[in-house]
């Protein structure tokens, strides 16, 4: 492997505790998402340049919970779900497939200490 880029997943000037968790590339290969725990509790959104593979930071979405560990994108690509280990909930975001950006919905699932999310087909 050859390193082609180093890019921060936290906002410029951030001085709190850093604690990254999940990294996920959208199924279309256009966007990369990372979750940050510690003092951030957020998802950082990057676009992926198809030619070079380099990332550009395009968004930063607070997750409104504590300890976002794992997250997943639903099979349609329309929603991103975040498991918060320390606030006992799963928060659901609407995902714009064209821009990669996230919008908080009013939907959440209360569940004790979620740390991993998997989509299972309904038969």
């Amino acid at each position: 492997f050859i390193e082609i880029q180093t890019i921060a997943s936290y906002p410029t000037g951030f001085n709190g505790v850093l604690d990254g968790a999940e990294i996920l590339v959208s199924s279309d290969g256009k966007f990369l998402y990372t979750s940050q725990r510690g003092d951030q509790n957020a998802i950082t959104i990057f676009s992926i340049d198809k030619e070079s593979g380099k990332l550009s930071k395009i968004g930063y979405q607070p997750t409104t919970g504590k300890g976002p560990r794992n997250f997943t994108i639903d099979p349609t690509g329309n929603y991103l779900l975040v498991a918060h280990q320390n606030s006992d909930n799963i928060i659901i975001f609407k995902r714009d497939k064209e821009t990669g950006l996230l919008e908080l919905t009013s939907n959440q699932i209360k569940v004790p200490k979620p740390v991993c999310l998997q989509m299972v087909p309904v038969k």
Side-chain angles (χ1 to χ4, degrees), residues 7-68:
I7 188 168
S9 63
Y10 49 87
T12 303
F14 179 78
N15 292 320
V17 174
L18 298 171
D19 191 10
E22 181 80 13
I23 298 172
L24 178 68
V25 175
S26 59
S27 62
D28 61 10
K30 292 180 177 180
F31 304 100
L32 181 138
Y33 299 86
T34 66
S35 61
Q36 288 73 237
R37 299 172 290 188
D39 291 334
Q40 291 184 34
N41 298 304
I43 301 287
T44 305
I45 307 157
F46 300 90
S47 63
I48 302 172
D49 182 275
K50 285 194 182 275
E51 298 298 320
S52 68
K54 290 188 177 184
L55 304 176
S56 297
K57 194 181 311 181
I58 59 169
Y60 183 79
Q61 177 66 55
T63 61
T64 71
K66 293 181 182 174

Side-chain angles (χ1 to χ4, degrees), residues 64-65 82-85 87-91 108-111 114:
T64 71
V82 182
H84 291 102
Q85 180 179 10
S87 57
D88 299 330
N89 62 359
I90 299 167
I91 301 292
Q108 73 168 291
I109 303 164
K110 296 297 280 180
V111 62

Side-chain angles (χ1 to χ4, degrees), residues 55-107:
L55 304 176
S56 297
K57 194 181 311 181
I58 59 169
Y60 183 79
Q61 177 66 55
T63 61
T64 71
K66 293 181 182 174
R69 290 201 41 131
N70 182 248
F71 60 91
T72 191
I73 297 172
D74 81 302
T76 69
N78 292 321
Y79 296 95
L80 185 141
L81 293 79
V82 182
H84 291 102
Q85 180 179 10
N86 301 329
S87 57
D88 299 330
N89 62 359
I90 299 167
I91 301 292
I92 302 169
F93 292 89
K94 176 81 173 135
R95 180 177 168 271
D96 185 314
K97 290 191 261 189
E98 294 302 313
T99 67
L101 298 177
L102 305 174
E103 180 183 332
L104 181 64
T105 70
S106 59
N107 300 315

